[in-house]
Amino acid sequence: MIAVHDLAKQYHVGDHVVNALKGVTMSVGAAEFVTIVGPSGSGKSTFMHILGCLDRPTNGRYVLNGRDVSTLPPDELARVRNETIGFVFQGFNLLARTSALENVELPLLYTRQGVVRAAERRDRAMRALEAVGLTDRADHHPNQLSGGQQQRVAIARALVTQPSLLLADEPTGNLDSATSHEVMEIFARLSSDRGITIVVITHERDIAAYGTRIVDFRDGLVVSDRANEAREPARVG
Amino acid sequence: MQKFLRHPVVDTAIKALSRNRLQTVLTMLGIAVGVATVLAMMAVGAGAQRSIEQQVRAAGLNQITIRAGNWRPKITDSDEAVAHQGDARESLRHPLDRRNPDVLPIAFHPEDDPMEKHDHPTARQRLGDLEAGLGSAATMTFDDAEALRQLPGVQYVAGGIHENVRVHLDPSTGSGSPRATSRGDQKRWFTRMHGTDVMMPSIKRAWTFTSGRFFTEREQDRASQVVVLGQVVADKLFGPGAAPVGREVMLWNQTFEVIGVVTSATWVVQPAPGDDQFDAVYMPYTTTQRLLNLSKLNDITVTAESSGDISRLSREITKLLRIRHGIGDHEADDFTLITQATKALTTGGLPPSVARAVASNVAELEKVTLEQLAMTMERASRTMTWLLAAVAAVSLLVGGIGIMNITLLSVTERTSEIGLRMAVGARGKDVMRQFLFEAVVISAAGGLAGIVVGVIASIGIARTLQWATVVSPLSVVLAFGIATAVGVFFGWYPARRASKLDPIVALRRD
């Protein structure tokens, strides 16, 4: 599914050169649920951006589904994001004054075939909402939804193009622990039921415990990469 | 429409614009003022253009009339002309007469009225064509007219023969009751007869036919006895409001069929008795030549394609005719060129001899007088047009900057939305299209409002200032096009900036 080799990323901040990633090599198989942990500044977000084709590495190779995407031009990367990758963000990033359903439809406006027809859009968005159990909130606007519900709408939006890779950057950072676990349950289910590859960034150990594999980042390098034997996490509350 | 409004790009634009409703409306207002001004400007410009054209046509600024015969003092004779200034008789003398001061000049001779039956030789018979005085010195031929037609810059050429005639109602057509002949002056009218060319209505562009038509090429070729009446003649003979077409009139004891009545097409010139244009009758010059047994023309009327070309054309015509008539370098012309400028001068209150001296010696004369009048009017309307253009340009610029401003504001406000859209697959061009569309929505909506205001303003200007305005469909389309173009132009930079955003940076901004 994912194969990165000696991935490096440099930023220029003024005269300084920041080495965010210093050569990461790892691979992720299909239907794996990987959680990435590490302190801030460890390079995990940069790694995630490159995995998500939002950014290109300075060095190294990134092969996604057998295709080298590390040197694709921006428009091609946009296609890859649209077709292969679903994103979930810490801040939900839903459009205000726009219904949950329309928020979920958003990726369908940018497909390779252009804008998907309205009826089909609605149909596919409803199915995605069904997967996160929010069909009854389809017409609600984000400000009428709780944080957990908003994040579930965001997950539905990530699922609507039926991607094979789901990337979540601190998806529970803005949620209380109960709803955090609800959200993580959804990820776990998507991984096991639908065989979607999931990569979640977190700095909370109990959230990381949902992964079948936990990767530790520090100073732009992978310091530990282990399978999570005790899959069942400690429930809180 | 419903479907269009539901389109995601449109939907997003409407949502985005309603977010900053007040700014959006104010920006639209700026564009509306600009577009309304553009429209009013074009309406005023077109209206002024039209009224100037009408007046220029009515005045016949692009006409040159070449009359047979020559009454003007030559440049080489100018000392003499000044010496005898004020002496009309002297200046009226034909140059050929000047050698013998005892011979009286022949300016007009009552014998020239063809109505009169003469029992003695007429002036023409006694003196020959050239000697018979201005206009009747038949030195010009149909071939001259044809030659002039070949000159570059010439639009129309029409040869003419002119006589004073008495027009009667034909008693045999039954129009005349027994009393008709007794009330002679109602049924008989002394007027001007123009034997002319089928081209005449094209030359006299300020003509319109109240009924009927002008004579045709065919009637001219056959020298048919058909006649077109001037409005004044028609009114005098048949009474106002009558329909003379198809009736018959008598000229030179010959029956002519009335085929049309002509009047002025512009308020600038009104038909009046004695005006030579509408107190006149027109027939094919061939008919005149046949009935009066003439082979020459009194004059040739030439119109230039451009009224600014009159001076050059006058010189060309003079050169050509001197060659055709075999006139030597030191001999006087046997014809006279008359333009509107020379005409205006001679009727301008100057002593005739001075006027003529000026007319013959001042080059580029038509650059003054009437043409200058037209130019003054044009300059006035051009000033108005430029003023409006400046207002339009400024308001469109301000409106455009407003659009740029509000679009930039929108891009800034929606940075994280742009990032999200990019994350879910929007390409730079998708983002760009969205923001460009929003800019165009503002400018097009402003444009539509401006068109409504502009049309109302144009009507208002026409009503209150009595200033002719013409709102053409083309100008409406153009105004809308300009508005849209302003949107595209000023929306381009912000949209481009949005499309170049780095999705990661954009996502981080909340």
Side-chain angles (χ1 to χ4, degrees), chain A residues 17-178:
Chain A
V17 176
V18 179
N19 287 303
L21 288 179
K22 297 171 182 168
V24 174
T25 303
M26 70 182 285
S27 57
V28 179
E32 262 195 287
F33 186 172
V34 181
T35 52
I36 296 175
V37 289
S40 40
S42 62
K44 59 186 196 304
S45 284
T46 303
F47 182 61
M48 174 76 99
H49 290 147
I50 293 172
L51 285 193
C53 294
L54 289 168
D55 206 351
R56 280 185 292 192
T58 326
N59 217 346
R61 271 161 54 87
Y62 170 25
V63 178
L64 176 64
N65 282 340
R67 183 184 187 196
D68 187 351
V69 294
S70 37
T71 54
L72 287 181
D75 281 4
E76 274 305 307
L77 287 179
R79 291 262 182 258
V80 174
R81 291 197 295 269
N82 183 254
E83 288 166 4
T84 318
I85 303 167
F87 286 99
V88 177
F89 305 98
Q90 179 176 1
F92 321 137
N93 288 64
L94 299 179
L95 300 183
R97 280 183 301 246
T98 306
S99 72
L101 187 71
E102 286 174 298
N103 264 294
V104 176
E105 285 178 4
L106 195 67
L108 300 178
L109 307 181
Y110 304 109
T111 67
R112 188 183 291 273
Q113 289 77 29
V115 177
V116 175
R117 274 182 29 251
E120 192 191 336
R121 235 163 44 215
R122 195 188 155 77
D123 202 46
R124 287 171 66 175
M126 280 311 278
R127 263 184 284 147
L129 279 173
E130 204 181 324
V132 297
L134 273 181
T135 40
D136 55 334
R137 296 284 191 274
D139 296 329
H140 286 55
H141 286 197
N143 58 355
Q144 299 167 308
L145 297 170
S146 72
Q149 287 170 332
Q150 287 188 49
Q151 194 60 299
R152 276 148 73 192
V153 171
I155 295 170
R157 180 181 62 200
L159 291 175
V160 77
T161 52
Q162 294 175 313
S164 49
L165 175 63
L166 200 66
L167 299 174
D169 190 354
E170 306 259 11
T172 59
N174 287 11
L175 301 175
D176 61 42
S177 57

Side-chain angles (χ1 to χ4, degrees), chain A residues 203-217:
Chain A
H203 57 260
E204 294 167 83
R205 285 286 154 189
D206 58 332
I207 296 300
Y210 277 91
T212 54
R213 180 178 164 193
I214 301 171
V215 178
D216 253 304
F217 265 70

Side-chain angles (χ1 to χ4, degrees), chain B residues 143-414:
Chain B
D143 290 339
D144 287 335
E146 282 302 305
L148 292 179
R149 216 184 291 275
Q150 306 306 321
L151 282 176
V154 166
Q155 189 184 30
Y156 298 112
V157 173
I161 301 167
H162 312 282
E163 296 285 355
N164 295 326
V165 291
R166 226 167 296 241
V167 188
H168 303 256
L169 271 191
D170 181 3
S172 65
T173 55
S175 65
S177 63
R179 287 170 59 213
T181 36
S182 58
R183 291 173 64 202
D185 51 359
Q186 275 232 335
K187 299 299 170 193
R188 224 165 59 169
W189 187 249
F190 188 70
T191 187
R192 198 77 175 132
M193 185 288 305
H194 300 295
T196 182
D197 191 275
V198 283
M199 282 301 174
M200 213 52 188
S202 306
I203 294 172
K204 305 275 187 186
R205 279 176 293 184
W207 273 11
T208 184
F209 287 85
T210 32
S211 59
R213 56 178 176 81
F214 207 66
F215 52 82
T216 62
E217 197 104 33
R218 189 180 154 84
E219 283 161 342
Q220 177 165 306
D221 290 345
R222 292 172 150 201
S224 304
Q225 285 178 219
V226 290
V227 69
V228 174
L229 303 183
Q231 187 69 50
V232 176
V233 179
D235 288 349
K236 290 293 178 188
L237 287 180
F238 296 95
V245 173
R247 306 272 291 275
E248 288 182 338
V249 293
M250 302 287 288
L251 286 106
W252 306 308
N253 293 322
Q254 296 280 330
T255 308
F256 281 75
E257 187 195 349
V258 178
I259 56 168
V261 178
V262 70
T263 190
S264 172
T266 159
W267 53 268
V268 182
V269 178
Q270 296 288 349
D275 69 1
D276 199 57
Q277 242 198 111
F278 304 111
D279 182 3
V281 298
Y282 298 86
M283 69 176 68
Y285 72 93
T286 48
T287 311
T288 320
Q289 285 180 334
R290 174 168 68 83
L291 291 174
L292 299 186
N293 194 22
L294 297 169
S295 57
K296 306 280 176 92
L297 299 171
N298 288 138
D299 67 15
I300 298 172
T301 305
V302 176
T303 58
E305 277 163 4
S306 155
S307 54
D309 201 22
I310 291 287
S311 299
R312 185 194 64 83
L313 207 54
S314 299
R315 285 195 296 274
E316 292 290 319
I317 289 169
T318 306
K319 205 161 44 172
L320 180 69
L321 287 181
R322 284 183 69 93
I323 293 168
R324 287 187 60 85
H325 294 180
I327 298 168
D329 285 349
H330 302 291
E331 287 177 60
D333 297 343
D334 62 352
F335 54 90
T336 307
L337 253 64
I338 298 161
T339 63
Q340 286 298 322
T342 58
K343 221 186 255 178
L345 252 186
T346 50
T347 55
L350 284 173
S353 54
V354 176
R356 283 165 191 163
V358 170
S360 57
N361 290 320
V362 177
E364 315 281 307
L365 188 65
E366 52 288 335
K367 288 279 188 299
V368 282
T369 61
L370 264 181
E371 187 158 329
Q372 191 141 43
L373 173 77
M375 272 164 64
T376 309
M377 282 162 55
E378 198 172 283
R379 213 176 296 136
S381 85
R382 203 179 294 154
T383 308
M384 185 72 177
T385 305
W386 278 113
L387 187 73
L388 285 170
V391 172
V394 168
S395 43
L396 283 175
L397 182 70
V398 170
I401 292 170
I403 285 180
M404 195 187 267
N405 187 37
I406 195 172
T407 312
L408 275 175
L409 176 75
S410 186
V411 170
T412 311
E413 276 179 348
R414 289 153 70 195

